[in-house]
Amino acid sequence: MRRLLHVPGLFEEYGMTPGTIDELIGPDGVPRPDFLGLLTLLGTRAPEDFARLQSLAERALLNQGVTFSVYSDQRGTERIFPFCLIPRLISAPDWAHLERGLEQRVRALNLFLNDVYGEQRLFAERPELRDLILSTSLYLPLLRGVRPPGGVRIHIAGIDLVRDGQGTFRVLEDNLRTPSGVSYVMESRVISKRVLPDILEMARVRRVDHYPARLAETLRSVSPEDPERSTVVVLTPGPYNSAYFEHSFLARTMGVQLVQSEDLFVDRERVFMRTTRGPQRVHVIYRRIDDAFLDPETFRPDSLLGVRGLMRAWAAGHVTLANAPGNGVADDKAVYAFVPEFIRYYLGEQPVLEQVPTYVCAREEDRRYVLEHLEELVVKTVDEAGGYGMLMGPQSTREEREDFRQRILATPRRYIAQPRVELSTCPTWDAASGRVVPRRVDLRPYIVSGPQGPWVLPGGLSRVALRAGSYVVNSSQGGGSKDTWVQKEAA
């Protein structure tokens, strides 16, 4: 690592990682111009003083019960979400570019979903895509012909972005089913306000606390009935779900009921909630349950998490489900490779955002290349998330590569591969060494969409790989988070 000589105090020992872009420090070792004042002020803190602030922040998260669960962790069902108090900043011009690209991407993906569950015009022009797209287990053919209220299928999206070694933001993957993490965005900001109020004020940061109000407004806007008289609920699998904290947080901050399957029932293709005053009609369900468990009458008959008859009520247009069932076909990692083409086809525009080059193993030429370069590539299973089902080729063993070779040969449609992206770094507090170190980060912005189009929350979940040298930022595999500060336009 090359040491910095131009940043005082807290950052004096900060070392840049060769081949990467740092989010806050320029290649010359000087803070980026947009962040100079903030880093100078933050840098005046002595390491022991910052350690005390970091401890305060972690205690506040503990007191607020900001937790998540890892099913494979034998040490307990819940953990405090790891959090680094040093924020990740995004300048106003960079954010304007991201915002434009995210809106464009979500509009195109929504049109793709309406098409693939409707006329399937795309396949008339691109017949070679039919088998690839319709062969994913995430495509639900029985839903074809059902058009949700307002034609909106992606009410909430979480689009994962990374910045490569040349400084270009790239889409890494689309999350269009039940993307989680937005509650940590808002809780992180509460902590920042409490522990770093002077620095937050200086940075001129855009707010994020209006997300629940915008989400509630959007959900009511897609109600099949009068939005002003519509009832919205959040449907959770229950307290043992890994994201239960978020489910309860969103219901509370939106001012709506948090319900489980036994709280709801369907009568004459309408959904009702059991209350002490009798049945109450439900018009919009923000469901945090996977498609397979939504309705035992339509999907898995052994599901205890869903509501019998729910899909009939949805198909009849008497209730809105957010997100719409069947969205998984659009965030299948093999389908991801074609999103730039979807943008050109459905919108007639050039993509604003770049994405990571992707080899689709279902295609013979791509598969041959992947098998010959496993040690260089990152191989992913198309329908898994959270860092599971992956081969990090450059860090893999011969046995691991052979295992994935056999898997790819057996079911090539299940795998894609990408070159490893040198994720950007961000200064991160390391408690063990008592100093600030570079750690790799990604960014998950959240986009909510109603009939009027998409809206992007000015911020997002910055996930950070807390282990030295790691590229895996997922919280389930040792990653943490940072508050994302999007700066306001210059006055």
mmCIF file of all heavy atoms in Angstrom, residues 386-424:
data_model
loop_
_atom_site.group_PDB
_atom_site.id
_atom_site.type_symbol
_atom_site.label_atom_id
_atom_site.label_comp_id
_atom_site.label_asym_id
_atom_site.label_seq_id
_atom_site.Cartn_x
_atom_site.Cartn_y
_atom_site.Cartn_z
ATOM 1 N N GLY A 386 -26.827 -13.238 -1.917
ATOM 2 C CA GLY A 386 -26.172 -13.221 -0.613
ATOM 3 C C GLY A 386 -24.753 -13.755 -0.635
ATOM 4 O O GLY A 386 -24.197 -14.086 0.410
ATOM 5 N N GLY A 387 -24.155 -13.857 -1.835
ATOM 6 C CA GLY A 387 -22.788 -14.361 -1.917
ATOM 7 C C GLY A 387 -22.708 -15.879 -1.913
ATOM 8 O O GLY A 387 -21.611 -16.441 -1.880
ATOM 9 N N TYR A 388 -23.864 -16.567 -1.969
ATOM 10 C CA TYR A 388 -23.868 -18.024 -1.991
ATOM 11 C C TYR A 388 -23.830 -18.509 -3.444
ATOM 12 O O TYR A 388 -24.218 -17.804 -4.369
ATOM 13 C CB TYR A 388 -25.123 -18.561 -1.293
ATOM 14 C CG TYR A 388 -25.168 -18.219 0.184
ATOM 15 C CD1 TYR A 388 -25.998 -17.208 0.656
ATOM 16 C CD2 TYR A 388 -24.353 -18.884 1.098
ATOM 17 C CE1 TYR A 388 -26.040 -16.874 2.009
ATOM 18 C CE2 TYR A 388 -24.387 -18.567 2.444
ATOM 19 C CZ TYR A 388 -25.225 -17.559 2.896
ATOM 20 O OH TYR A 388 -25.242 -17.233 4.231
ATOM 21 N N GLY A 389 -23.387 -19.760 -3.632
ATOM 22 C CA GLY A 389 -23.371 -20.348 -4.962
ATOM 23 C C GLY A 389 -22.364 -19.715 -5.892
ATOM 24 O O GLY A 389 -22.588 -19.656 -7.098
ATOM 25 N N MET A 390 -21.231 -19.228 -5.339
ATOM 26 C CA MET A 390 -20.241 -18.520 -6.136
ATOM 27 C C MET A 390 -18.893 -19.236 -6.107
ATOM 28 O O MET A 390 -18.537 -19.884 -5.131
ATOM 29 C CB MET A 390 -20.014 -17.100 -5.577
ATOM 30 C CG MET A 390 -21.121 -16.137 -5.834
ATOM 31 S SD MET A 390 -20.752 -14.539 -5.032
ATOM 32 C CE MET A 390 -19.156 -14.147 -5.734
ATOM 33 N N LEU A 391 -18.145 -19.053 -7.192
ATOM 34 C CA LEU A 391 -16.741 -19.450 -7.221
ATOM 35 C C LEU A 391 -15.923 -18.198 -7.497
ATOM 36 O O LEU A 391 -16.084 -17.572 -8.548
ATOM 37 C CB LEU A 391 -16.488 -20.482 -8.329
ATOM 38 C CG LEU A 391 -15.009 -20.839 -8.523
ATOM 39 C CD1 LEU A 391 -14.519 -21.765 -7.406
ATOM 40 C CD2 LEU A 391 -14.763 -21.492 -9.894
ATOM 41 N N MET A 392 -15.077 -17.816 -6.561
ATOM 42 C CA MET A 392 -14.159 -16.704 -6.799
ATOM 43 C C MET A 392 -12.890 -17.304 -7.400
ATOM 44 O O MET A 392 -11.978 -17.721 -6.683
ATOM 45 C CB MET A 392 -13.852 -15.980 -5.485
ATOM 46 C CG MET A 392 -15.033 -15.241 -4.887
ATOM 47 S SD MET A 392 -15.513 -13.776 -5.861
ATOM 48 C CE MET A 392 -14.158 -12.677 -5.483
ATOM 49 N N GLY A 393 -12.852 -17.367 -8.729
ATOM 50 C CA GLY A 393 -11.791 -18.079 -9.419
ATOM 51 C C GLY A 393 -10.382 -17.743 -8.962
ATOM 52 O O GLY A 393 -9.595 -18.650 -8.652
ATOM 53 N N PRO A 394 -9.998 -16.435 -8.907
ATOM 54 C CA PRO A 394 -8.612 -16.102 -8.548
ATOM 55 C C PRO A 394 -8.225 -16.555 -7.140
ATOM 56 O O PRO A 394 -7.051 -16.667 -6.842
ATOM 57 C CB PRO A 394 -8.594 -14.568 -8.662
ATOM 58 C CG PRO A 394 -9.701 -14.236 -9.620
ATOM 59 C CD PRO A 394 -10.758 -15.253 -9.346
ATOM 60 N N GLN A 395 -9.203 -16.783 -6.275
ATOM 61 C CA GLN A 395 -8.895 -17.200 -4.906
ATOM 62 C C GLN A 395 -9.288 -18.653 -4.638
ATOM 63 O O GLN A 395 -9.275 -19.088 -3.495
ATOM 64 C CB GLN A 395 -9.638 -16.275 -3.922
ATOM 65 C CG GLN A 395 -9.178 -14.825 -4.010
ATOM 66 C CD GLN A 395 -10.184 -13.857 -3.442
ATOM 67 O OE1 GLN A 395 -11.329 -13.792 -3.880
ATOM 68 N NE2 GLN A 395 -9.760 -13.087 -2.453
ATOM 69 N N SER A 396 -9.637 -19.381 -5.682
ATOM 70 C CA SER A 396 -10.167 -20.739 -5.500
ATOM 71 C C SER A 396 -9.058 -21.793 -5.511
ATOM 72 O O SER A 396 -7.945 -21.556 -5.990
ATOM 73 C CB SER A 396 -11.182 -21.047 -6.609
ATOM 74 O OG SER A 396 -10.523 -21.078 -7.863
ATOM 75 N N THR A 397 -9.401 -22.969 -5.006
ATOM 76 C CA THR A 397 -8.487 -24.109 -5.058
ATOM 77 C C THR A 397 -8.793 -24.930 -6.309
ATOM 78 O O THR A 397 -9.855 -24.777 -6.944
ATOM 79 C CB THR A 397 -8.672 -25.005 -3.826
ATOM 80 O OG1 THR A 397 -9.999 -25.561 -3.866
ATOM 81 C CG2 THR A 397 -8.499 -24.210 -2.535
ATOM 82 N N ARG A 398 -7.884 -25.830 -6.639
ATOM 83 C CA ARG A 398 -8.109 -26.690 -7.806
ATOM 84 C C ARG A 398 -9.371 -27.538 -7.610
ATOM 85 O O ARG A 398 -10.151 -27.744 -8.541
ATOM 86 C CB ARG A 398 -6.894 -27.607 -7.999
ATOM 87 C CG ARG A 398 -7.031 -28.548 -9.183
ATOM 88 C CD ARG A 398 -5.777 -29.370 -9.360
ATOM 89 N NE ARG A 398 -4.624 -28.535 -9.670
ATOM 90 C CZ ARG A 398 -3.394 -29.004 -9.871
ATOM 91 N NH1 ARG A 398 -3.168 -30.285 -9.810
ATOM 92 N NH2 ARG A 398 -2.413 -28.182 -10.140
ATOM 93 N N GLU A 399 -9.596 -28.017 -6.383
ATOM 94 C CA GLU A 399 -10.772 -28.851 -6.115
ATOM 95 C C GLU A 399 -12.058 -28.047 -6.296
ATOM 96 O O GLU A 399 -13.043 -28.565 -6.840
ATOM 97 C CB GLU A 399 -10.701 -29.407 -4.682
ATOM 98 C CG GLU A 399 -9.629 -30.451 -4.459
ATOM 99 C CD GLU A 399 -8.217 -29.858 -4.413
ATOM 100 O OE1 GLU A 399 -8.090 -28.628 -4.175
ATOM 101 O OE2 GLU A 399 -7.250 -30.599 -4.640
ATOM 102 N N GLU A 400 -12.044 -26.816 -5.867
ATOM 103 C CA GLU A 400 -13.248 -25.982 -6.026
ATOM 104 C C GLU A 400 -13.534 -25.720 -7.499
ATOM 105 O O GLU A 400 -14.693 -25.742 -7.943
ATOM 106 C CB GLU A 400 -13.063 -24.653 -5.273
ATOM 107 C CG GLU A 400 -13.099 -24.812 -3.758
ATOM 108 C CD GLU A 400 -12.657 -23.555 -3.033
ATOM 109 O OE1 GLU A 400 -11.887 -22.748 -3.626
ATOM 110 O OE2 GLU A 400 -13.063 -23.375 -1.869
ATOM 111 N N ARG A 401 -12.480 -25.464 -8.267
ATOM 112 C CA ARG A 401 -12.694 -25.215 -9.701
ATOM 113 C C ARG A 401 -13.214 -26.468 -10.394
ATOM 114 O O ARG A 401 -14.090 -26.386 -11.256
ATOM 115 C CB ARG A 401 -11.388 -24.740 -10.355
ATOM 116 C CG ARG A 401 -10.972 -23.368 -9.902
ATOM 117 C CD ARG A 401 -9.888 -22.799 -10.810
ATOM 118 N NE ARG A 401 -8.628 -23.517 -10.718
ATOM 119 C CZ ARG A 401 -7.693 -23.273 -9.804
ATOM 120 N NH1 ARG A 401 -7.896 -22.324 -8.911
ATOM 121 N NH2 ARG A 401 -6.573 -23.953 -9.786
ATOM 122 N N GLU A 402 -12.726 -27.621 -10.012
ATOM 123 C CA GLU A 402 -13.188 -28.870 -10.628
ATOM 124 C C GLU A 402 -14.651 -29.127 -10.278
ATOM 125 O O GLU A 402 -15.436 -29.585 -11.115
ATOM 126 C CB GLU A 402 -12.317 -30.041 -10.172
ATOM 127 C CG GLU A 402 -12.671 -31.378 -10.824
ATOM 128 C CD GLU A 402 -12.631 -31.330 -12.342
ATOM 129 O OE1 GLU A 402 -11.855 -30.546 -12.907
ATOM 130 O OE2 GLU A 402 -13.395 -32.100 -12.973
ATOM 131 N N ASP A 403 -15.006 -28.795 -9.032
ATOM 132 C CA ASP A 403 -16.398 -28.943 -8.610
ATOM 133 C C ASP A 403 -17.310 -28.089 -9.484
ATOM 134 O O ASP A 403 -18.348 -28.555 -9.986
ATOM 135 C CB ASP A 403 -16.522 -28.546 -7.133
ATOM 136 C CG ASP A 403 -17.965 -28.583 -6.653
ATOM 137 O OD1 ASP A 403 -18.691 -29.521 -7.029
ATOM 138 O OD2 ASP A 403 -18.373 -27.666 -5.915
ATOM 139 N N PHE A 404 -16.928 -26.823 -9.702
ATOM 140 C CA PHE A 404 -17.765 -25.946 -10.509
ATOM 141 C C PHE A 404 -17.735 -26.352 -11.982
ATOM 142 O O PHE A 404 -18.726 -26.184 -12.698
ATOM 143 C CB PHE A 404 -17.336 -24.482 -10.316
ATOM 144 C CG PHE A 404 -18.144 -23.789 -9.251
ATOM 145 C CD1 PHE A 404 -17.833 -23.981 -7.920
ATOM 146 C CD2 PHE A 404 -19.224 -22.984 -9.583
ATOM 147 C CE1 PHE A 404 -18.578 -23.368 -6.921
ATOM 148 C CE2 PHE A 404 -19.975 -22.370 -8.600
ATOM 149 C CZ PHE A 404 -19.657 -22.557 -7.266
ATOM 150 N N ARG A 405 -16.621 -26.889 -12.458
ATOM 151 C CA ARG A 405 -16.566 -27.363 -13.843
ATOM 152 C C ARG A 405 -17.641 -28.432 -14.073
ATOM 153 O O ARG A 405 -18.379 -28.394 -15.069
ATOM 154 C CB ARG A 405 -15.180 -27.936 -14.138
ATOM 155 C CG ARG A 405 -15.029 -28.475 -15.571
ATOM 156 C CD ARG A 405 -13.695 -29.205 -15.728
ATOM 157 N NE ARG A 405 -12.596 -28.363 -15.327
ATOM 158 C CZ ARG A 405 -12.053 -27.410 -16.103
ATOM 159 N NH1 ARG A 405 -12.523 -27.247 -17.329
ATOM 160 N NH2 ARG A 405 -11.062 -26.680 -15.657
ATOM 161 N N GLN A 406 -17.741 -29.357 -13.131
ATOM 162 C CA GLN A 406 -18.730 -30.437 -13.274
ATOM 163 C C GLN A 406 -20.149 -29.890 -13.166
ATOM 164 O O GLN A 406 -21.053 -30.339 -13.872
ATOM 165 C CB GLN A 406 -18.491 -31.520 -12.210
ATOM 166 C CG GLN A 406 -17.147 -32.230 -12.357
ATOM 167 C CD GLN A 406 -16.942 -32.815 -13.762
ATOM 168 O OE1 GLN A 406 -17.880 -33.356 -14.367
ATOM 169 N NE2 GLN A 406 -15.729 -32.672 -14.286
ATOM 170 N N ARG A 407 -20.324 -28.923 -12.285
ATOM 171 C CA ARG A 407 -21.663 -28.324 -12.156
ATOM 172 C C ARG A 407 -22.082 -27.624 -13.446
ATOM 173 O O ARG A 407 -23.227 -27.740 -13.896
ATOM 174 C CB ARG A 407 -21.665 -27.290 -11.022
ATOM 175 C CG ARG A 407 -21.458 -27.836 -9.630
ATOM 176 C CD ARG A 407 -21.795 -26.741 -8.654
ATOM 177 N NE ARG A 407 -21.178 -26.914 -7.341
ATOM 178 C CZ ARG A 407 -21.433 -26.145 -6.301
ATOM 179 N NH1 ARG A 407 -22.276 -25.127 -6.427
ATOM 180 N NH2 ARG A 407 -20.847 -26.359 -5.145
ATOM 181 N N ILE A 408 -21.153 -26.875 -14.028
ATOM 182 C CA ILE A 408 -21.471 -26.138 -15.262
ATOM 183 C C ILE A 408 -21.794 -27.104 -16.392
ATOM 184 O O ILE A 408 -22.751 -26.906 -17.155
ATOM 185 C CB ILE A 408 -20.293 -25.220 -15.641
ATOM 186 C CG1 ILE A 408 -20.161 -24.095 -14.618
ATOM 187 C CG2 ILE A 408 -20.483 -24.643 -17.042
ATOM 188 C CD1 ILE A 408 -18.879 -23.284 -14.744
ATOM 189 N N LEU A 409 -21.009 -28.162 -16.500
ATOM 190 C CA LEU A 409 -21.264 -29.138 -17.567
ATOM 191 C C LEU A 409 -22.616 -29.833 -17.388
ATOM 192 O O LEU A 409 -23.298 -30.145 -18.352
ATOM 193 C CB LEU A 409 -20.137 -30.187 -17.580
ATOM 194 C CG LEU A 409 -18.791 -29.673 -18.097
ATOM 195 C CD1 LEU A 409 -17.690 -30.702 -17.849
ATOM 196 C CD2 LEU A 409 -18.883 -29.341 -19.597
ATOM 197 N N ALA A 410 -23.005 -30.040 -16.121
ATOM 198 C CA ALA A 410 -24.263 -30.754 -15.855
ATOM 199 C C ALA A 410 -25.486 -29.875 -16.136
ATOM 200 O O ALA A 410 -26.464 -30.324 -16.740
ATOM 201 C CB ALA A 410 -24.275 -31.231 -14.405
ATOM 202 N N THR A 411 -25.433 -28.611 -15.697
ATOM 203 C CA THR A 411 -26.584 -27.704 -15.867
ATOM 204 C C THR A 411 -26.079 -26.313 -16.253
ATOM 205 O O THR A 411 -26.075 -25.394 -15.435
ATOM 206 C CB THR A 411 -27.415 -27.605 -14.568
ATOM 207 O OG1 THR A 411 -26.531 -27.263 -13.473
ATOM 208 C CG2 THR A 411 -28.131 -28.890 -14.259
ATOM 209 N N PRO A 412 -25.659 -26.141 -17.495
ATOM 210 C CA PRO A 412 -25.044 -24.859 -17.892
ATOM 211 C C PRO A 412 -25.974 -23.662 -17.730
ATOM 212 O O PRO A 412 -25.503 -22.552 -17.462
ATOM 213 C CB PRO A 412 -24.662 -25.093 -19.357
ATOM 214 C CG PRO A 412 -25.408 -26.307 -19.788
ATOM 215 C CD PRO A 412 -25.624 -27.139 -18.574
ATOM 216 N N ARG A 413 -27.286 -23.855 -17.872
ATOM 217 C CA ARG A 413 -28.215 -22.722 -17.759
ATOM 218 C C ARG A 413 -28.166 -22.091 -16.368
ATOM 219 O O ARG A 413 -28.550 -20.936 -16.195
ATOM 220 C CB ARG A 413 -29.644 -23.207 -18.068
ATOM 221 C CG ARG A 413 -30.759 -22.174 -17.848
ATOM 222 C CD ARG A 413 -30.590 -20.940 -18.729
ATOM 223 N NE ARG A 413 -31.642 -19.946 -18.523
ATOM 224 C CZ ARG A 413 -31.652 -19.058 -17.542
ATOM 225 N NH1 ARG A 413 -30.675 -19.052 -16.633
ATOM 226 N NH2 ARG A 413 -32.628 -18.170 -17.443
ATOM 227 N N ARG A 414 -27.694 -22.808 -15.382
ATOM 228 C CA ARG A 414 -27.700 -22.304 -14.002
ATOM 229 C C ARG A 414 -26.499 -21.405 -13.691
ATOM 230 O O ARG A 414 -26.408 -20.894 -12.578
ATOM 231 C CB ARG A 414 -27.720 -23.465 -13.006
ATOM 232 C CG ARG A 414 -29.016 -24.250 -12.954
ATOM 233 C CD ARG A 414 -29.158 -24.934 -11.610
ATOM 234 N NE ARG A 414 -29.394 -23.972 -10.535
ATOM 235 C CZ ARG A 414 -29.036 -24.159 -9.268
ATOM 236 N NH1 ARG A 414 -28.389 -25.239 -8.925
ATOM 237 N NH2 ARG A 414 -29.298 -23.247 -8.352
ATOM 238 N N TYR A 415 -25.598 -21.209 -14.656
ATOM 239 C CA TYR A 415 -24.366 -20.491 -14.304
ATOM 240 C C TYR A 415 -24.030 -19.385 -15.304
ATOM 241 O O TYR A 415 -24.278 -19.517 -16.512
ATOM 242 C CB TYR A 415 -23.187 -21.473 -14.207
ATOM 243 C CG TYR A 415 -23.399 -22.465 -13.082
ATOM 244 C CD1 TYR A 415 -23.992 -23.703 -13.329
ATOM 245 C CD2 TYR A 415 -23.056 -22.148 -11.773
ATOM 246 C CE1 TYR A 415 -24.227 -24.601 -12.300
ATOM 247 C CE2 TYR A 415 -23.291 -23.030 -10.738
ATOM 248 C CZ TYR A 415 -23.880 -24.262 -11.003
ATOM 249 O OH TYR A 415 -24.132 -25.144 -9.983
ATOM 250 N N ILE A 416 -23.467 -18.329 -14.747
ATOM 251 C CA ILE A 416 -22.849 -17.270 -15.555
ATOM 252 C C ILE A 416 -21.469 -17.027 -14.958
ATOM 253 O O ILE A 416 -21.158 -17.486 -13.856
ATOM 254 C CB ILE A 416 -23.678 -15.971 -15.569
ATOM 255 C CG1 ILE A 416 -23.878 -15.417 -14.142
ATOM 256 C CG2 ILE A 416 -25.022 -16.201 -16.239
ATOM 257 C CD1 ILE A 416 -23.005 -14.288 -13.780
ATOM 258 N N ALA A 417 -20.649 -16.273 -15.692
ATOM 259 C CA ALA A 417 -19.328 -15.918 -15.160
ATOM 260 C C ALA A 417 -18.996 -14.493 -15.575
ATOM 261 O O ALA A 417 -19.437 -14.012 -16.630
ATOM 262 C CB ALA A 417 -18.267 -16.888 -15.661
ATOM 263 N N GLN A 418 -18.234 -13.836 -14.707
ATOM 264 C CA GLN A 418 -17.839 -12.447 -14.957
ATOM 265 C C GLN A 418 -16.380 -12.272 -14.555
ATOM 266 O O GLN A 418 -15.893 -12.970 -13.653
ATOM 267 C CB GLN A 418 -18.699 -11.491 -14.109
ATOM 268 C CG GLN A 418 -20.181 -11.544 -14.461
ATOM 269 C CD GLN A 418 -21.041 -10.814 -13.446
ATOM 270 O OE1 GLN A 418 -20.732 -10.789 -12.259
ATOM 271 N NE2 GLN A 418 -22.134 -10.234 -13.920
ATOM 272 N N PRO A 419 -15.677 -11.331 -15.195
ATOM 273 C CA PRO A 419 -14.338 -11.010 -14.703
ATOM 274 C C PRO A 419 -14.444 -10.409 -13.309
ATOM 275 O O PRO A 419 -15.439 -9.751 -12.986
ATOM 276 C CB PRO A 419 -13.818 -9.988 -15.715
ATOM 277 C CG PRO A 419 -15.047 -9.414 -16.339
ATOM 278 C CD PRO A 419 -16.077 -10.508 -16.336
ATOM 279 N N ARG A 420 -13.450 -10.658 -12.484
ATOM 280 C CA ARG A 420 -13.486 -10.067 -11.137
ATOM 281 C C ARG A 420 -13.263 -8.561 -11.244
ATOM 282 O O ARG A 420 -12.290 -8.116 -11.842
ATOM 283 C CB ARG A 420 -12.414 -10.690 -10.242
ATOM 284 C CG ARG A 420 -12.539 -10.248 -8.796
ATOM 285 C CD ARG A 420 -11.507 -10.903 -7.908
ATOM 286 N NE ARG A 420 -10.160 -10.404 -8.192
ATOM 287 C CZ ARG A 420 -9.074 -10.794 -7.546
ATOM 288 N NH1 ARG A 420 -9.164 -11.701 -6.603
ATOM 289 N NH2 ARG A 420 -7.885 -10.314 -7.855
ATOM 290 N N VAL A 421 -14.203 -7.813 -10.675
ATOM 291 C CA VAL A 421 -14.099 -6.353 -10.693
ATOM 292 C C VAL A 421 -13.314 -5.903 -9.466
ATOM 293 O O VAL A 421 -13.585 -6.351 -8.349
ATOM 294 C CB VAL A 421 -15.510 -5.707 -10.676
ATOM 295 C CG1 VAL A 421 -15.397 -4.190 -10.638
ATOM 296 C CG2 VAL A 421 -16.314 -6.164 -11.885
ATOM 297 N N GLU A 422 -12.325 -5.037 -9.702
ATOM 298 C CA GLU A 422 -11.573 -4.473 -8.574
ATOM 299 C C GLU A 422 -12.445 -3.415 -7.899
ATOM 300 O O GLU A 422 -12.403 -2.233 -8.250
ATOM 301 C CB GLU A 422 -10.254 -3.865 -9.056
ATOM 302 C CG GLU A 422 -9.249 -4.890 -9.510
ATOM 303 C CD GLU A 422 -8.809 -5.826 -8.377
ATOM 304 O OE1 GLU A 422 -8.869 -5.413 -7.209
ATOM 305 O OE2 GLU A 422 -8.424 -6.972 -8.677
ATOM 306 N N LEU A 423 -13.266 -3.856 -6.951
ATOM 307 C CA LEU A 423 -14.202 -2.955 -6.296
ATOM 308 C C LEU A 423 -13.473 -1.774 -5.672
ATOM 309 O O LEU A 423 -12.369 -1.916 -5.145
ATOM 310 C CB LEU A 423 -14.973 -3.685 -5.192
ATOM 311 C CG LEU A 423 -15.720 -4.968 -5.551
ATOM 312 C CD1 LEU A 423 -16.529 -5.439 -4.342
ATOM 313 C CD2 LEU A 423 -16.616 -4.771 -6.736
ATOM 314 N N SER A 424 -14.106 -0.625 -5.709
ATOM 315 C CA SER A 424 -13.519 0.561 -5.088
ATOM 316 C C SER A 424 -13.422 0.360 -3.581
ATOM 317 O O SER A 424 -14.126 -0.470 -2.988
ATOM 318 C CB SER A 424 -14.373 1.790 -5.398
ATOM 319 O OG SER A 424 -15.686 1.608 -4.903
#
